[in-house]
């Protein structure tokens, strides 16, 4: 004896209704052979739909055993049930349950998407199925443009898409006029003649008369069964083997492309809502990227001024121990550094001190710097009048002086002509040979002490300070990356010359590092500010997705009924959230670039967008979609198919 197609043993289905439980099916035993055409009858509430849902693997029995071709369905997991729904069963509902925004052909294709059938193959199969059902002129129509009878024929085509070996039709004519109803019954009869197993729920005895076998339910019991009906003579023509096109191995998560298409369609359906969600994401991404761009721009600005202040410079100072100045750092040391150390652009030996100035009958006190002619030439100041001192004046320690702009004004009046005048510095006569411009703006104000004056290095050493030791030697190195090597070379040179390390060399590394820390804090702070708006946008996405899932509960139930696994549904809704977030991300990035360009046109680089920033912006958007889309998608995927199908 062959294995029956469907075998139910002692099937019970109980629903919890408050504290009591309602039994919709009680100890149902039923065997259905391949190719049978069974009509299930019975009054409303007798358990017909429950029976269909259990046979179709949409629902599980509370008790009892269900074997499909010997396979223990009552022990199968959710994916296994989804596979059976996808490969074996085709549902036809009273209310058609077509996707409203999809065309007839696209509706028919959906089961094949979940079966992983390639696009072209499923399109041609859907087309030929619809043609067979007399709908060749309706392929591109949406359900709203079709009559009830036409919609139900689309639903039949959909049931057949993956083979439809067992067609489960639950009151398929219940919503149709009698002519359309007769047409549908004729179609089912034709399918039965082709060998499909048909299980049809109906109230109409005339309809039931078309079936080979009638089963009657009452209060969850099978009360009448006129026995196994004779399978039609062509029963063998529909194989009871799985359709070779959709074996279990060929059911990947519905392809990314199909999911994106579905997502786009869903998003187009409610344009206003989509636009508002998009707007939220756009603002979020705009603020994240703009903030990061701003942080980057500020960082660059700081680095630029830093470089101006001597990013690649070293400062050498003698050690001072508790007993006063240690061994001296001399002019000869500075010359040696200039001559022997590689990549050195300039060497600036300096002494400084204070001096009493007597000029034009007034006495003043001012600080001065004694340095080389070369350093004087290359300093960050400009001459208002006169000249700088020369190297030969330095060598000969001539008593010449260049006055800072404010000091010159104080000594000789704002309009006074200082150049050529003689003044007394600590009692020795000096000639004023140049006056520097006053620093114009606050930034330049740091560049030199306009209240002081400059004298040649040796002049200052001998005539004003009476010492040989330099206070500092500044060394400018060509490139930042050469600083460390230069520092080592100078250290070795001076240790050799002095016989000990009686000096210290400072570089800007510590300052650079501090600057980097500040920049990182800035980046995080700004990023967080931008991130907050992205979180708000994400909450918006979640809100909308929850609403979408609630609205499309029936669609979710339907997709499950035609074979979608939980992860297909999960993937679909995550996809929707990610698509909307990604789209918003791209637009937001574009806007950020435009805004950045506009802001930068006003002045210096205020916003700087690097590739990583743009990448961060886009990933933030996508991740927001993923993160906030997950909970709604899980809610969708966790739905019970029967309950979802029953939703309004
Ligand atoms: P039919 O399709 O024959 O009209 P059903 O199979 O839909 O009947 O329902 C059988 C019984 O189970 C009814 O009494 C119905 O109220 C009950 N029932 C069906 N679905 C549920 C449910 N989700 N929760 C509680 N009771 C249910
Ligand atoms: Mg019913």
């Amino acid at each position: 004896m062959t294995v029956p197609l469907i075998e139910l043993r002692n099937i019970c289905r109980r629903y919890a209704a408050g504290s009591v439980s309602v039994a919709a099916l009680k100890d149902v035993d039923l065997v259905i052979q391949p190719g049978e055409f069974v009509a299930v009858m019975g009054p409303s509430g007798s358990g017909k739909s429950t029976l269909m849902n259990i046979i179709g693997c949409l629902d599980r029995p509370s008790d009892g055993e269900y074997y499909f071709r010997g396979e223990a369905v009552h022990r199968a997991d959710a994916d296994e049930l989804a596979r059976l729904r996808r490969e074996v069963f085709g549902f036809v509902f009273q209310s058609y349950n077509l996707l409203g925004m999809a065309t007839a052909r696209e509706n028919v294709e959906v089961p094949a998407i979940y079966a992983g059938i390639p696009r072209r193959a499923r399109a041609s199969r859907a087309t030929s199925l619809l043609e067979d059902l007399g709908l060749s002129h309706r392929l591109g129509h949406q359900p709203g443009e079709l009559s009830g009878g036409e919609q139900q024929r689309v639903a039949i085509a959909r049931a057949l898409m993956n083979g439809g070996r067992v067609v489960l039709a639950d009151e398929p004519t219940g919503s149709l006029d009698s002519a359309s109803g007769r047409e549908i019954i004729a179609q089912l009869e034709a399918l039965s003649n082709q060998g499909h197993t048909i299980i049809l729920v109906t109230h109409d005895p005339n309809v039931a008369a078309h079936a080979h076998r009638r089963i009657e339910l009452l209060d969850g019991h099978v009360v009448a069964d006129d026995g196994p009906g004779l399978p039609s003579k062509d029963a063998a023509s529909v194989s009871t083997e799985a359709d070779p096109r959709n074996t279990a191995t060929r059911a990947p998560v519905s392809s990314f492309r199909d999911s994106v298409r579905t997502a786009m369609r869903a998003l187009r359906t409610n344009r206003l809502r989509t636009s508002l969600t998009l707007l939220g994401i756009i603002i979020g991404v705009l603020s994240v990227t703009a903030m990061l761009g701003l942080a980057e721009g500020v960082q660059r600005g700081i680095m630029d001024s830093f470089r101006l202040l001597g990013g690649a410079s070293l400062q050498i100072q003698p050690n001072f121990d508790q007993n006063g100045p240690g061994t001296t750092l001399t002019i000869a040391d500075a010359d040696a550094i200039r001559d022997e150390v590689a990549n050195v652009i300039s060497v600036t030996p300096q002494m400084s001190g204070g001096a009493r100035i007597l000029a034009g009958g007034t006495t003043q006190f001012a600080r001065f710097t004694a340095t080389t002619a070369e350093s004087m030439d290359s300093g960050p100041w400009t001459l208002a009048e006169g000249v700088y001192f020369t190297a030969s004046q330095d060598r000969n320690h001539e008593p010449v002086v260049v006055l800072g702009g404010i000091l010159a004004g104080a000594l000789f009046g704002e309009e006074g002509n200082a150049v050529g005048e003689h003044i007394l510095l600590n009692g020795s006569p000096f000639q004023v040979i140049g006056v520097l411009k006053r620093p114009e703006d606050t930034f330049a104000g740091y560049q030199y002490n306009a209240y002081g004056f400059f004298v040649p290095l040796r002049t200052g050493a001998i005539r004003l300070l009476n010492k040989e030791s330099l206070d500092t030697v500044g060394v400018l190195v060509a490139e930042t990356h050469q600083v460390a090597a230069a520092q080592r070379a100078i250290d070795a040179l001076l240790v050799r010359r002095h016989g000990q390390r009686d000096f210290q060399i400072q570089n800007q590394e510590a300052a650079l590092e501090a600057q980097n820390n500040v920049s990182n804090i800035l980046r995080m702070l700004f990023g967080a500010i931008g991130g907050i708006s992205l979180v708000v946008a994400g909450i918006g996405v979640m809100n909308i997705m929850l609403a979408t899932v609630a609205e499309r509960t029936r669609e979710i139930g339907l997709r499950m009924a035609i074979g979608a696994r939980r992860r297909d549904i999960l993937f679909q809704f995550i996809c929707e959230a990610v698509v909307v977030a990604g789209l918003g991300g791209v637009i937001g990035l574009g806007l950020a670039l435009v805004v950045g360009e506009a802001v930068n046109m006003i002045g210096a680089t205020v916003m700087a967008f690097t590739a990583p920033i743009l990448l961060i912006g886009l990933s933030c958007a996508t991740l927001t979609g993923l993160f906030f889309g997950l909970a709604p998608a899980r809610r969708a995927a966790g739905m019970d198919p029967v309950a979802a199908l029953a939703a309004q």
Side-chain angles (χ1 to χ4, degrees):
M1 167 151 185
T2 56
V3 185
L5 185 68
I6 288 164
E7 184 176 3
L8 304 181
R9 289 189 204 152
N10 297 320
I11 290 292
C12 294
R13 179 63 171 101
R14 286 180 292 272
Y15 291 106
S19 53
V20 294
S21 84
V22 178
L25 290 178
K26 299 164 190 161
D27 287 327
V28 171
D29 290 303
L30 189 62
V31 173
I32 295 175
Q33 300 295 343
E36 281 197 81
F37 184 174
V38 183
V40 179
M41 304 187 67
S44 185
S46 55
K48 305 181 296 294
S49 296
T50 307
L51 179 66
M52 294 290 263
N53 290 339
I54 285 176
I55 291 176
C57 300
L58 262 183
D59 197 7
R60 289 165 178 278
S62 316
D63 249 319
E65 293 161 30
Y66 172 13
Y67 297 93
F68 182 81
R69 294 176 65 228
E71 197 182 319
V73 176
H74 53 283
R75 285 198 286 266
D77 64 16
D79 280 355
E80 202 46 36
L81 296 180
R83 182 185 65 79
L84 284 167
R85 294 197 296 266
R86 193 164 59 234
E87 294 180 359
V88 174
F89 297 102
F91 283 93
V92 179
F93 304 94
Q94 178 179 343
S95 50
Y96 328 129
N97 279 333
L98 300 178
L99 301 178
M101 294 302 292
T103 63
R105 204 194 70 197
E106 287 166 336
N107 266 291
V108 174
E109 280 185 49
V110 180
I113 292 177
Y114 294 121
I117 310 287
R119 202 179 166 69
R120 208 170 286 222
R122 66 184 195 237
S124 71
R125 177 162 169 83
T127 304
S128 78
L129 281 169
L130 285 167
E131 282 169 358
D132 290 350
L133 288 159
L135 289 172
S136 50
H137 57 304
R138 293 284 186 261
L139 298 179
H141 289 239
Q142 294 188 344
E145 303 159 351
L146 300 175
S147 73
E150 286 172 327
Q151 291 189 57
Q152 198 60 301
R153 276 185 278 161
V154 173
I156 291 176
R158 182 179 61 193
L160 298 175
M161 187 64 195
N162 286 348
R165 238 177 322 140
V166 183
V167 175
L168 300 167
D170 193 345
E171 303 192 40
T173 60
S175 303
L176 298 177
D177 60 87
S178 53
S180 305
R182 273 196 300 278
E183 229 173 276
I184 294 302
I185 297 303
Q187 295 290 356
L188 292 176
E189 216 168 356
L191 290 175
S192 168
N193 289 335
Q194 287 163 27
H196 291 267
T197 304
I198 312 283
I199 305 177
L200 166 70
V201 171
T202 181
H203 287 294
D204 185 344
N206 296 326
V207 169
H210 291 263
H212 309 142
R213 174 181 177 186
R214 275 150 298 273
I215 293 171
E216 204 172 322
L217 287 179
L218 187 63
D219 278 343
H221 289 289
V222 177
V223 292
D225 182 351
D226 56 8
L230 291 174
S232 78
K233 54 186 186 310
D234 308 329
S237 68
V238 167
S239 161
T240 54
E241 296 305 315
D243 191 312
R245 284 185 320 256
N246 30 299
T247 52
T249 51
R250 299 211 44 182
V253 171
S254 42
S255 84
F256 181 70
R257 200 170 140 177
D258 289 311
S259 298
V260 171
R261 273 166 54 92
T262 309
M264 292 302 283
R265 175 178 298 149
L267 294 172
R268 272 200 305 271
T269 308
N270 205 330
R271 280 165 209 267
L272 179 62
R273 194 152 90 180
T274 303
S275 316
L276 291 175
T277 316
L278 269 181
L279 190 62
I281 293 282
I282 290 169
I283 292 171
V285 169
L286 181 62
S287 66
V288 165
T289 34
M291 282 298 179
L292 289 177
L294 196 62
E296 182 70 23
V298 168
Q299 149 86 349
R300 284 190 188 179
I302 292 174
M303 287 309 288
D304 282 350
S305 28
F306 203 73
R307 227 163 272 133
L308 213 66
L309 292 172
S313 71
L314 291 166
Q315 291 286 329
I316 307 156
Q317 285 164 340
N319 272 342
F320 289 90
D321 55 29
Q322 277 131 330
N323 305 322
T327 324
T328 52
L329 185 63
T330 62
I331 293 173
D333 287 335
D335 289 338
I337 292 169
R338 187 184 295 112
D339 295 342
E340 294 177 32
V341 177
N343 301 320
V344 165
I345 295 178
S346 72
V347 176
T348 308
Q350 278 189 358
M351 294 182 193
S352 52
R356 199 164 20 83
I357 309 173
L358 186 61
T362 59
T363 301
Q364 294 233 6
F365 194 85
R367 295 206 55 81
F368 67 90
T369 302
T371 191
T372 58
E374 177 198 21
S375 311
M376 198 70 223
D377 275 340
S378 60
W381 38 70
T382 29
L383 270 173
E385 49 178 326
V387 293
Y388 295 132
F389 43 79
T390 63
S392 88
Q393 284 173 321
D394 182 15
R395 264 195 308 281
N396 300 325
H397 34 88
E398 287 183 20
V400 289
V401 57
V402 174
L403 298 178
I406 295 171
L407 178 63
L411 294 176
F412 299 101
E414 297 303 325
E415 307 298 322
N417 195 343
V419 173
E421 296 291 332
H422 284 83
I423 59 175
L424 290 178
L425 297 177
N426 287 348
S428 320
F430 276 70
Q431 188 180 16
V432 178
I433 58 166
V435 173
L436 299 177
K437 275 193 179 156
R438 292 168 179 236
E440 296 298 339
D441 53 68
T442 49
F443 180 67
Y446 295 108
Q447 293 179 354
Y448 89 99
N449 174 16
Y451 297 88
F453 60 88
F454 291 85
V455 294
L457 182 60
R458 289 167 182 82
T459 308
I462 291 169
R463 295 180 186 266
L464 296 178
L465 292 163
N466 196 23
K467 66 174 190 179
E468 277 171 46
S469 181
L470 297 168
D471 293 343
T472 75
V473 176
V475 176
L476 204 62
V477 181
E479 301 283 344
T480 320
H481 68 266
Q482 296 162 341
V483 170
Q487 182 169 348
R488 281 193 299 277
I490 292 167
D491 185 74
L493 174 69
L494 293 183
V495 167
R496 179 153 45 80
R497 289 174 63 88
H498 296 185
Q500 57 179 324
R501 189 171 281 106
D502 57 354
F503 56 90
Q504 47 187 342
I505 307 177
Q506 288 164 353
N507 59 33
Q508 310 286 347
E509 230 166 70
L512 265 175
E513 195 172 311
Q515 172 51 40
N516 260 337
N517 290 341
V518 169
S519 297
N520 284 337
I521 291 171
L522 208 65
R523 233 174 251 137
M524 281 193 288
L525 193 71
F526 281 25
I529 292 171
I532 288 170
S533 36
L534 202 54
V535 168
V536 173
I539 293 170
V541 170
M542 188 155 169
N543 208 359
I544 291 301
M545 288 309 297
L546 284 172
T548 301
V549 166
E551 274 168 20
R552 286 158 64 194
T553 302
R554 264 179 93 92
E555 177 196 324
I556 294 164
L558 170 76
R559 287 180 182 276
M560 288 174 162
I562 58 186
R565 286 160 299 182
R566 296 200 180 288
R567 59 175 175 276
D568 291 318
I569 302 293
L570 186 77
F571 187 67
Q572 181 193 327
F573 282 95
I574 286 179
C575 208
E576 270 185 49
V578 170
V579 163
V580 74
L583 199 62
V586 170
I587 299 174
L589 282 189
L591 273 182
L593 289 176
V594 171
V595 167
E597 200 59 40
V599 170
N600 289 350
M601 255 155 43
I602 297 166
T605 305
V606 182
M607 288 189 185
F609 294 110
T610 59
I613 289 180
L614 298 182
L615 210 64
I616 288 173
L618 195 59
S619 351
C620 277
T622 327
L623 287 176
T624 302
L626 198 64
F627 183 78
F628 289 96
L630 193 60
R634 285 173 64 110
R635 172 175 286 193
M639 284 180 178
D640 170 57
V642 176
L645 270 171
Q648 288 315 300

